[in-house]
Amino acid sequence: ARRGCVSPSAMPPFFGWPRKPPADPYGKVAELAKLTCETPPFGTVGPDAELVRALKQEVRRDENAMGRVHDVLCKALAHKECGPRSHAVSVFDILFHRSVVFRSLALVSLDVFLHLGVGTDGDNHPLPGPPTETRQLIDKAVAALESWNDKFGSHHPRLALAVRFANDSLGVDAPAARAAATLIANRESQRRENARLVERWRRIELELPQLTTQAEEAITSMRSCLGVV
């Protein structure tokens, strides 16, 4: 600035130039986390690999950013559609396995993950549809919980309780319950098919003597015809 002039940034607010608020140091990583959750495709496909890689690089440079990323993911779990929720679950799972800091944050907010990702509070926090996407979201969230318990359950007993609570709350909609029901249905179908084959064989056994007699008579008749010729 010229001598005798005061820089606008140095003037107090009542001079008409309010000071610019300081830049959000974690605004970039928060926006990146939001973009990772909301970028299609969704369904069984995971979040964009390049976005996930960039997000991991950002939090690796500054672990203090984990708090903002965690907050963004919790908000994404409340999205009105299953797709962003599913991507949020995937990023939750990736960071849970990689970062002690994120793991601590996620354990504190485990109820949020259970309600909005797994769907353990259907009355107050029903999961969005359609049903196929809802099941995919539930399966992914429960699989993440189980993997956390398998790897970290010995140090965090709450994870085992969370897995049990998830399965109990979901009841017949729990992945394990649906898998068991499918197995039972497949076994019953196979049993009916085996019974049908056994019944068919028994009918053949009963008809076999008559078929044999008819075949012998036909052969005899053919030989007689050949003898006349």
Side-chain angles (χ1 to χ4, degrees):
R2 290 177 297 171
R3 183 177 297 178
C5 294
V6 180
S7 171
S9 62
M11 290 183 179
F14 54 83
F15 270 73
W17 288 286
R19 291 183 179 179
K20 185 179 180 180
D24 182 356
Y26 302 121
K28 177 182 176 182
V29 72
E31 186 61 29
L32 181 58
K34 184 174 183 290
L35 187 63
T36 303
C37 294
E38 296 183 356
T39 299
F42 300 118
T44 57
V45 181
D48 183 89
E50 291 299 323
L51 291 175
V52 172
R53 187 177 299 111
L55 182 61
K56 289 192 291 188
Q57 289 175 349
E58 288 294 325
V59 295
R60 191 182 300 120
R61 280 196 286 265
D62 183 1
E63 282 202 336
N64 292 324
M66 281 294 187
R68 283 297 297 278
V69 172
H70 171 265
D71 292 344
V72 171
L73 294 179
C74 287
K75 289 180 180 178
L77 284 175
H79 199 279
K80 63 181 181 180
E81 297 179 0
C82 278
R85 292 195 189 201
S86 180
H87 281 357
V89 167
S90 294
V91 180
F92 246 95
D93 189 35
I94 292 168
L95 296 180
F96 195 101
H97 282 279
R98 293 176 63 91
S99 169
V100 174
V101 174
F102 186 86
R103 196 151 55 242
S104 299
L105 294 169
L107 286 168
V108 171
S109 63
L110 197 54
D111 287 346
V112 175
F113 188 87
L114 287 168
H115 292 335
L116 303 180
V118 177
T120 57
D121 187 12
D123 293 335
N124 297 313
H125 301 285
L127 298 181
T132 299
E133 293 183 11
T134 305
R135 285 192 296 271
Q136 290 171 352
L137 173 61
I138 292 172
D139 289 351
K140 181 178 288 189
V142 172
L145 264 181
E146 291 175 341
S147 71
W148 301 348
N149 183 49
D150 290 342
K151 190 169 183 179
F152 306 106
S154 59
H155 299 291
H156 302 288
R158 190 183 179 195
L159 290 171
L161 296 176
V163 171
R164 188 180 310 162
F165 175 68
N167 287 318
D168 289 346
S169 298
L170 292 171
V172 295
D173 292 325
R178 283 191 280 111
T182 300
L183 180 61
I184 292 173
N186 289 340
R187 286 176 176 172
E188 178 62 20
S189 177
Q190 187 62 51
R191 186 192 66 79
R192 288 196 299 268
E193 177 63 16
N194 290 342
R196 187 183 68 81
L197 292 174
V198 169
E199 180 62 26
R200 183 180 178 186
W201 173 247
R202 286 175 178 169
R203 287 200 304 269
I204 292 174
E205 283 185 319
L206 292 174
E207 296 170 359
L208 191 58
Q210 181 180 357
L211 293 174
T212 302
T213 301
Q214 291 174 353
E216 291 175 348
E217 291 175 351
I219 292 172
T220 302
S221 177
M222 290 174 62
R223 285 175 177 172
S224 300
C225 292
L226 290 174
V228 170
V229 174

